[in-house]
Amino acid sequence: MSQKETPLFSGLVEHAKKNPVQFHIPGHKKGSGIDPEFRKFIGDNALSIDLINIGPLDDLHSPKGIIKQAQELAAEAFGADHTFFSVQGTSGAIMTMIMAVCGPGDKIIVPRNVHKSVMSAIVFSGAIPIFIHPEIDEKLGISHGITTDAVEKALEQHPDAKGVLVINPTYFGVSADLRKIVEIAHSFQVPVLVDEAHGVHIHFHDELPLSAMQAGADMAATSVHKLGGSMTQSSILNIKEGLVSPKRVQSIISMLTTTSTSYLLLASLDVARRRLVTEGKELIGETIRLAQSIRERINKIEHLYCVGPEILGRKATFDYDPTKLIISIKDLGITGYEAEKWLRETYNIEVELSDLYNLLCIITPGDTEQEGDVLIKALQDLSSVFHTESEKLHAQVVLPDIPLLALTPRDAFYADTEVVPFAESEGRIIAEFVMVYPPGIPIFIPGEIITEENLRYIQMNIEAGLPVQGPEDDQLKMIRVIKEHKAIR
Ligand SMILES: Cc1ncc(COP(=O)(O)O)c(C=O)c1O
């Protein structure tokens, strides 16, 4: 089958054209039974292929027809031995990777700045995380990936680990020397699992970092929906055979997946793969050039700095994705979140994320010079407004230390717990997650000892208006900790 074909999307369209009389779910029956305003808005075409796993349309849980063909084409496109479609986002694919290699008590080597889905899978599987410190960029106030030295050290100390998980590239587009990490892990016969949420496009252009499959990794959870043009929530899980079993992966992804898989999402993966293969190189090339020109223009604006290739050359900054614009605004004397809000309210601009010190804007084939001009004008205005209003404040970048893990995340999550005031929780073992979303990186995970420094960091994020999430008490006045049993007098 050729990469120009889209067996899944075309199969759905052919089926819809036959206009069968449907006595099956979804009950809206090609839109006839749905709210008319919604139907008018999203259109009959979309509703006509909002179908379910009836005979002619195959079944994601045991693919033998058009889904199997679409997955095989995707595997060929991504240089994988097998590709599994995920309708549970990259979160579902990440949980599958971990649960495919780890059972209760098994060790997995992971960077501490992992997405919450990694920690969820660690709680579900009962695995023991062996944390590696990510490299911290104190100038920017962000975490990068992990170094080859750290991976080697971790494997020497824990050669019985069942896997090494790498985030590649990071949310900010920075990548590690993945090929070397794979070489090291494979010398211990340990598989490499890649969180490739922010790297679907890198496989399709030589000027971008190596993709997980190009670097020889064993599994990669890849968000096609983030940067590859499919619909939100649709991702893929690529695997290379050898150290992992595709049959095990199929059964685990199936355990974690709804039985009512959305064919709109699945079809969008099929067409996104075709476009990436047939036009990706050209489209991504243009995107890189556009992003470079916007970067140069941002760097001409006083008090702003947009990160470029000078970030490379450190142990964890092996390569980077220039389509990510990391804009450091700390010299303006405001937080990234305040800048984000100002851009929304003044220029109707929505950025990808902000943190205390930065804004992140992503440039994709969906952008043109016009969007670049709007961003530049807004940033020029931002710089002049805030520079005149505030004293130049060379913000001291503060990132908290990683807390000590006293219990496995699973033991802590299921332990006997109590709720105590947030401000009085220092020294206790936390039983829930605390993270800032986006990007969803935990500040605390269940089982860690609460430190004053981390409490202060959370408070700073709350005061800056950043979305701190995770605890049952979303006001963060109270926090759930492991119950302490005091001696009875
Ligand atoms: C690094 C990283 N991994 C995984 C995910 C999860 O991806 P998804 O939203 O597709 O579940 C995200 C989402 O933002 C992420 O930033």
Side-chain angles (χ1 to χ4, degrees), residues 88-91 94 115 167 171 195 197-198 223 225-226 235 437 439:
Q88 318 265 132
T90 299
S91 299
I94 286 175
H115 185 259
I167 309 162
Y171 208 145
D195 172 349
H198 300 285
S223 294
H225 72 90
K226 287 198 206 296
S235 293
Y437 188 88

Side-chain angles (χ1 to χ4, degrees), residues 220-240:
T222 309
S223 294
V224 185
H225 72 90
K226 287 198 206 296
L227 298 165
S230 68
M231 287 172 71
T232 295
Q233 217 173 305
S234 60
S235 293
I236 53 172
L237 172 47
N238 285 323
I239 77 167
K240 273 213 162 76

